[in-house]
Every structure is written in C-alpha cells, then in structure tokens.
Amino acid sequence: MRRTGDGNVVGWRWRHNPLRRRSDVLEAWILLVTWTAAVFAAVVAGVLGSRALEHLAERDRAARRPVAAVVTGVLPGSGRDVFTGVRGDRVPATVRWTDREGRPRTGTTDVPRAARPGTGVRAWTDGRGHLVPAPVPATEVTTRAVLAGTGAACVTGVTVLAGGYLVRLGVERRATDRWGTEWERADPRWGHTTG
C-alpha cells in the first residue's frame, strides 16, 4: 500500500474494505467527477472566452476604415498621461481628410508625437465617417485573448470545484449524522452513556 506524506493510504476509498462506507465510495465518485468536470469546463470556457474576444476584435477592426489625413494642428500641452505624467508616443491633434463622398472633414484624433501641421497621417473612421481610435494591434488582441481565456478558465474551474466541494460536504454531513445515530444505538450495549 502506498501512503502519502500525512500517512493516508492513496485510493483507500476505491479499495474493497469492510470498514468502507457507501458514503466513502460516493465521495470518491464526487471527487473524480468534480475534477474531471472542472478540467473539461475550464478548457471549454477558456477556448470560448478567447475566441469570443478575438471575434469581437476582428469585428471591431472590420468596422474601422483607414483614411489619409493631414494634421492641421497639434493640441497644446497634450501627450502627457494625467495619472503618471509620462509623455506618450501619440498626441491628440486636429486633422483634415476627405470622406467617401468627397467632402472635406475635420476632427480630432491621436497622431505620432513627431507630427506637425501639414504632416500626412493615417486616421481611422467608422461606418458613418466619424473619427475613431486606431484598432487594437494584433499582438495586443492575442495578449488580451489569452488573458480572457485564462480568466474564464480559472473562474469556471473554481466554480465547478466549489460546487463539487459543497456536494461532498452534504454527503459527508449526512454520513456523520448517520454514524452518530448508529453510535447512539450501539453505545448502550456497552453500558456507557454519551454526553
């Protein structure tokens, strides 16, 4: 028999033993089913969560159209992060572009820090021709998808394990109550009283 570091026999609930109760076998099955379900559900949730985020990013990217624009003015004092005070690589600026109907348009968008009035830049518009932020880069989408998948997997796995633990506690409580009742019946035969 193989023992663990704390002296317990590995797999004792599965071995035929006259002291093994029906609740011991039930607990063993609950543990097996719970861990199997937790792993399966975590993998499925992780894959679905990751794919859902990638799908949203692809749909968002498809809804944005690049347009050639010209910087007409960089907003003064911009480009500094409000919280950290660090200067970013992009700054808000006013740009001019021509929409699909050939009408000139103006708006504000982020441009590279080095851009000056007259500099040509790429801006992004939505389906209605309004300026929108640039789509999230593919590497960032991948990172976000991995994080979303991992988070979904962890939450799902822990939820399934917690549910299995609660079921197992209920089985254990009923077995303990049954054992107490049986002990009460057996104790008077030995001439002792409990309590």
Side-chain angles (χ1 to χ4, degrees), residues 158-183:
V158 167
T159 301
V160 172
L161 289 174
Y165 179 74
L166 291 175
V167 170
R168 185 171 164 250
L169 277 180
V171 169
E172 192 175 306
R173 182 172 294 133
R174 281 192 296 276
T176 302
D177 290 345
R178 200 171 315 133
W179 181 79
T181 303
E182 290 171 8
W183 183 256

Side-chain angles (χ1 to χ4, degrees), residues 8-28:
N8 290 330
V9 176
V10 176
W12 69 270
R13 286 184 170 107
W14 296 103
R15 293 193 175 103
H16 186 67
N17 180 332
L19 298 178
R20 182 183 70 182
R21 299 171 295 181
R22 197 171 31 163
S23 63
D24 295 332
V25 175
L26 184 57
E27 282 185 50

Side-chain angles (χ1 to χ4, degrees), residues 61-144:
R61 181 177 286 279
R64 297 171 192 248
R65 304 273 183 263
V67 293
V70 176
V71 176
T72 58
V74 176
L75 299 178
S78 59
R80 206 174 266 281
D81 187 295
V82 176
F83 298 107
T84 63
V86 176
R87 298 178 78 85
D89 63 338
R90 299 184 68 80
V91 294
T94 306
V95 296
R96 184 180 64 247
W97 76 99
T98 304
D99 67 13
R100 289 182 177 179
E101 286 78 37
R103 294 181 303 224
R105 306 276 305 262
T106 59
T108 304
T109 190
D110 288 341
V111 299
R113 176 169 293 287
R116 298 289 176 250
T119 305
V121 294
R122 179 167 61 174
W124 294 87
T125 60
D126 61 11
R128 297 183 308 269
H130 298 111
L131 286 175
V132 293
V136 176
T139 55
E140 191 171 334
V141 169
T142 301
T143 302
R144 289 180 183 184

